[in-house]
Amino acid sequence: MTEFKRAFSLVWDHFTLVTPNKVQCALCSQRLSFNKNTSAMLRHLRSRHPSEAWYSNSTSGAHSSTSNSTSGVHSTFSNSIISSSGVHSSFSGTTGLNSMFTNSAAAGHHIQVRTTRQEDLDDALVNMLVKDTQPFSVVEEEGFAAFVQKLDPSYNLPNKQALKKMVGSRCEFINDNVVSQMVISDFVSLTSDMWTSIDKHSYISVTGHLVAENAQLSTFLLGISKLPENHKVIHIEEAKNQLVASWGLHSRVAAFVTENSENMVATVQKLGILQLPSFAHVLNLVIKRSMEATLELQDIRSQARAIVAFFKSNQNAEMRLAEVQGQLGRPEQKLIPEVDSRWNSSFSMLERIFDQRESVAAALSTLDTDIIPLGSADYEVIHQCLGVLGSFNQATAELASEKRVSASKVIPLVRMLKITLEKKHGAIIHPTATQLASNLQRELQTSCSMVETEPILALSALLDPRFKMLAFGNQGYAQEAVKLLTSECASLIRINPDKDDILPPSTTGSTTPSPTSPHTSSWAMETASISMATSPSKSHDGGLWEMFDSKVGETQSVQSSTADAAVEVQHYLSDPYLNRVENPMHYWEKHCKVYPHLFQLARKYLSVPASSVPCERIFTKAGDVFNKKRSCLSMKAVEQIMLLNKGLV
């Protein structure tokens, strides 16, 4: 059996047939089921031993084989490539059913493993199921099976169990990739949020964020945990602790970003991790409170909600609105409903109803309804208030991006919002819009007056080459941030005094103490921890001056590292500012060797997101996973599907 198979596939160089239905990997001794094909073995090599399996274009020699081609051109999918941001599928075209080969290189030797069309189509099927969140049972649907058979009669459609194994194997590959990134990253930032599925079960998810060595920002799903029906703070704490501990991250978390509810804050603090409130949620509360305190705007919002609900619930009314829009030469646009948890949905609702005011009024006049249309005075209030809220809508959109650096924007955004409100407050003439602007100023001052003193936000703004010290409205706070940055940079230099061009090893997740703090200025013996290599000279007086000499050496080391750090920080701050629309990570990619210690700190602080939006996107997508056809889906399967889906989106 073995010799027969060896003539067709080199995968047998790594496997031994131990029973008619079992094979054993020669690299890790794991046993796999054998069903008279090499699919499982190839997947095992790709996921567990990628360096041992590379692909060659050569079709010559004893190990190549060519299957009969069918008429026509068939589209094939290449193997999925796992990158720092997840899983990506690439597409290529080929004619017939010839075996597929791709290129790679193994260290020190060359091994050929042939991929077949069956495996390529298996990968494409997994990609489709994950990306479109289709149930595994789709392969058992008669219509789908008939469609696949029509496309390619030679393709053997796998069953549900085989698909689940493929998904599991792919997830292991991704997890290995994520682990490898985290191993070489000193710090990881986390976000977390809770959500409820369509079946009324509560879940909590945690996402991780880091800046890789190549200065690329990566986001990944760490896990999803199901909470008890009547969950309490202790259940949330246990779930978070398990998700964080399973990845060994407790000592390397730069910040844990959550909404500012009492239970979320309490659970993070109990974990001993720095909790940072989601600024997007803070801004959401600021605007909602301001609008609710503007009574005339509240009345108009209530009336607008009633109009939108009428058109949404009445098919005839919706059709009539579309007809009127066509007659008036307006774009055919549906009205947008308001969502209570998102303030910008109120903005979108008012903006759309203002743009379509003539069409809405004309449609309502021809329909049998007691809904009172908005008047010209109401629309003037909407127009003026939209002008006040426009900058807040722009800020919310910028904070929601998870693929761009965001925490560094918090301080400059707050400053720009205050300046913009001040300008508009003097230019607005309508009393309702003026009241709204005053309410926003008051709420913004109450909630965000101290953002420039938050070390995480201050250092991230300072390390963003687009903002630096210009981010700060208070130059006293800016100077304090520079001192803190210099202190942390000096600590990194002391860790690696002779290796400025090499990134320093991992440190703890806490902020490094300042050289002027009691921890470094005390003359107590337990603080004298300088090595003999950095002391001025070895004492020859029987130890009488040993402690003094050590303290002198320590003081000189601190002064030297502080001076070096000050030079590095000042040189960075004197560099030209980066254009605001550019990606700051491109700057650090080019300057990682120029400012090696600052780059290390940039990897820590620029990985922090400004909001928990990444987790919110997870449970928004999870709504497609939890459906009636997936009522028995296990928690592990849900995690795997969401992990792969996040990589493919």
Side-chain angles (χ1 to χ4, degrees):
M1 172 71 74
T2 302
E3 293 304 319
F4 175 79
K5 286 291 179 183
R6 188 180 297 276
F8 289 88
S9 176
L10 277 180
V11 72
W12 288 99
D13 287 343
H14 303 290
F15 286 91
T16 303
L17 188 67
V18 292
T19 72
N21 297 317
K22 291 284 184 181
V23 292
Q24 181 171 332
C25 177
L27 299 170
C28 65
S29 301
Q30 181 176 340
R31 293 195 175 191
L32 307 173
S33 298
F34 176 62
N35 297 314
K36 297 183 180 180
N37 64 65
T38 60
S39 301
M41 291 182 277
L42 284 168
R43 284 194 294 271
H44 176 83
L45 281 179
R46 286 199 293 265
S47 64
R48 294 296 184 86
H49 315 290
S51 64
E52 298 297 328
W54 70 283
Y55 313 100
S56 172
N57 281 329
S58 175
T59 57
S60 62
H63 299 293
S64 65
S65 63
T66 306
S67 57
N68 293 329
S69 62
T70 59
S71 59
V73 177
H74 297 271
S75 175
T76 62
F77 298 75
S78 66
N79 295 310
S80 297
I81 301 175
I82 310 300
S83 70
S84 60
S85 59
V87 185
H88 304 275
S89 63
S90 56
F91 303 83
S92 61
T94 186
T95 304
L97 296 176
N98 293 330
S99 301
M100 291 290 297
F101 300 91
T102 44
N103 289 329
S104 183
H109 60 284
H110 301 284
I111 301 174
Q112 290 183 338
V113 176
R114 181 176 59 84
T115 60
T116 65
R117 180 170 174 78
Q118 175 74 31
E119 286 124 28
D120 292 330
L121 294 181
D122 284 347
D123 283 342
L125 177 61
V126 171
N127 286 351
M128 184 204 75
L129 294 178
V130 170
K131 189 173 180 63
D132 298 338
T133 60
Q134 294 293 323
F136 294 123
S137 60
V138 70
V139 294
E140 297 178 348
E141 301 287 347
E142 291 185 9
F144 181 77
F147 176 69
V148 171
Q149 180 69 13
K150 193 73 173 178
L151 285 176
D152 189 349
S154 67
Y155 177 53
N156 183 22
L157 196 64
N159 56 28
K160 284 199 306 183
Q161 289 71 28
L163 275 180
K164 290 180 180 179
K165 289 182 180 179
M166 293 177 195
V167 168
S169 177
R170 186 86 69 85
C171 285
E172 289 178 5
F173 203 170
I174 292 180
N175 284 335
D176 289 345
N177 181 264
V178 171
V179 168
S180 66
Q181 287 192 64
M182 289 195 294
V183 165
I184 59 177
S185 296
D186 291 337
F187 293 98
V188 177
S189 299
L190 305 178
T191 61
S192 180
D193 212 339
M194 293 190 299
W195 44 283
T196 304
S197 66
I198 193 173
D199 57 1
K200 305 303 180 184
H201 289 148
S202 296
Y203 298 85
I204 187 167
S205 55
V206 177
T207 59
H209 312 263
L210 59 82
V211 175
E213 285 187 314
N214 62 354
Q216 297 301 310
L217 186 65
S218 296
T219 298
F220 44 86
L221 175 66
L222 287 178
I224 301 173
S225 182
K226 187 176 181 180
L227 297 173
E229 185 174 349
N230 297 318
H231 58 271
K232 300 179 181 179
V233 173
I234 189 172
H235 298 131
I236 303 172
E237 180 187 352
E238 289 174 354
K240 284 185 179 179
N241 188 50
Q242 182 179 4
L243 290 173
V244 174
S246 63
W247 293 85
L249 296 177
H250 274 104
S251 63
R252 295 190 289 133
V253 178
F256 204 139
V257 181
T258 69
E259 61 177 271
N260 220 22
S261 60
E262 290 184 7
N263 59 350
M264 295 296 276
V265 173
T267 55
V268 174
Q269 290 177 345
K270 288 182 179 180
L271 294 176
I273 298 173
L274 175 65
Q275 188 268 345
L276 193 67
S278 169
F279 185 70
H281 286 85
V282 172
L283 200 61
N284 188 62
L285 287 175
V286 165
I287 303 166
K288 286 183 67 176
R289 289 170 182 166
S290 301
M291 290 194 298
E292 289 168 359
T294 310
L295 299 182
E296 186 177 358
L297 178 60
Q298 277 293 89
D299 293 338
I300 293 174
R301 283 175 62 200
S302 298
Q303 196 172 349
R305 281 195 296 266
I307 293 173
V308 173
F310 171 70
F311 281 101
K312 284 290 181 182
S313 61
N314 190 314
Q315 186 177 6
N316 290 332
E318 194 170 45
M319 292 174 62
R320 178 57 183 158
L321 177 61
E323 183 181 342
V324 170
Q325 287 171 339
Q327 293 171 351
L328 295 177
R330 302 290 297 167
E332 187 174 322
Q333 296 174 327
K334 294 183 179 181
L335 300 183
I336 300 174
E338 187 181 61
V339 179
D340 185 60
S341 60
R342 293 189 296 110
W343 87 266
N344 51 340
S345 66
S346 304
F347 183 91
S348 299
M349 177 188 72
L350 295 174
E351 185 178 46
R352 177 60 55 84
I353 207 168
F354 178 80
D355 291 342
Q356 296 291 340
R357 56 191 180 278
E358 296 94 347
S359 302
V360 170
L364 284 174
S365 65
T366 61
L367 294 168
D368 184 17
T369 178
D370 56 357
I371 297 290
I372 301 175
L374 293 167
S376 58
D378 297 324
Y379 281 118
E380 180 60 26
V381 172
I382 292 175
H383 178 63
Q384 293 281 332
C385 289
L386 286 176
V388 174
L389 293 170
S391 56
F392 286 86
N393 187 56
Q394 181 182 350
T396 301
E398 289 194 30
L399 290 171
S401 175
E402 67 175 292
K403 295 186 177 181
R404 303 281 291 201
V405 172
S406 56
S408 63
K409 284 186 175 181
V410 172
I411 290 177
L413 272 177
V414 170
R415 186 185 175 198
M416 292 301 103
L417 286 172
K418 289 180 178 179
I419 293 174
T420 304
L421 276 176
E422 192 68 34
K423 289 181 178 179
K424 290 185 176 180
H425 195 275
I428 297 170
I429 57 174
H430 199 285
T432 302
T434 302
Q435 184 186 1
L436 176 62
S438 298
N439 293 338
L440 285 168
Q441 284 178 314
R442 184 186 66 253
E443 290 291 340
L444 200 61
Q445 181 63 26
T446 301
S447 301
C448 305
S449 61
M450 301 304 291
V451 291
E452 294 188 8
T453 65
E454 170 57 52
I456 291 275
L457 298 179
L459 289 176
S460 62
L462 207 57
L463 287 164
D464 192 322
R466 299 171 297 178
F467 306 126
K468 300 181 186 179
M469 294 185 68
L470 285 179
F472 297 82
N474 186 318
Q475 287 307 299
Y477 294 149
Q479 291 298 333
E480 287 299 318
V482 172
K483 290 180 182 178
L484 181 58
L485 180 61
T486 304
S487 172
E488 293 212 19
C489 185
S491 297
L492 292 181
I493 292 175
R494 286 196 295 275
I495 293 172
N496 263 322
D498 300 322
K499 298 181 179 180
D500 289 356
D501 59 336
I502 299 177
L503 294 180
S506 299
T507 57
T508 62
S510 60
T511 303
T512 307
S514 169
T516 59
S517 70
H519 293 291
T520 54
S521 62
S522 171
W523 280 86
M525 184 178 298
E526 55 266 26
T527 62
S529 57
I530 197 69
S531 66
M532 293 300 294
T534 58
S535 62
S537 63
K538 186 175 180 179
S539 179
H540 298 286
D541 48 31
L544 175 63
W545 292 95
E546 181 177 358
M547 178 183 170
F548 181 85
D549 292 342
S550 289
K551 198 60 190 180
V552 169
E554 180 181 357
T555 304
Q556 289 175 342
S557 175
V558 169
Q559 292 174 345
S560 176
S561 60
T562 302
D564 291 343
V567 170
E568 186 170 338
V569 170
Q570 290 305 319
H571 280 182
Y572 160 70
L573 293 176
S574 64
D575 271 359
Y577 281 80
L578 196 66
N579 190 295
R580 186 183 55 80
V581 298
E582 292 188 44
N583 187 345
M585 301 320 301
H586 292 165
Y587 171 91
W588 284 112
E589 185 179 12
K590 296 177 181 177
H591 293 78
C592 62
K593 298 298 183 182
V594 181
Y595 309 117
H597 305 99
L598 290 181
F599 173 59
Q600 178 74 349
L601 294 174
R603 290 181 62 190
K604 173 183 178 180
Y605 292 109
L606 295 184
S607 70
V608 180
S611 72
S612 55
V613 167
C615 266
E616 293 177 15
R617 288 202 177 103
I618 291 292
F619 65 72
T620 299
K621 194 66 178 180
D624 298 332
V625 177
F626 291 100
N627 54 51
K628 293 181 179 179
K629 287 189 175 184
R630 286 181 152 171
S631 57
C632 298
L633 203 61
S634 68
M635 196 66 250
K636 181 178 180 181
V638 173
E639 269 194 348
Q640 291 176 341
I641 293 169
M642 296 312 303
L643 174 66
L644 293 181
N645 181 275
K646 185 165 181 62
L648 287 171
V649 172

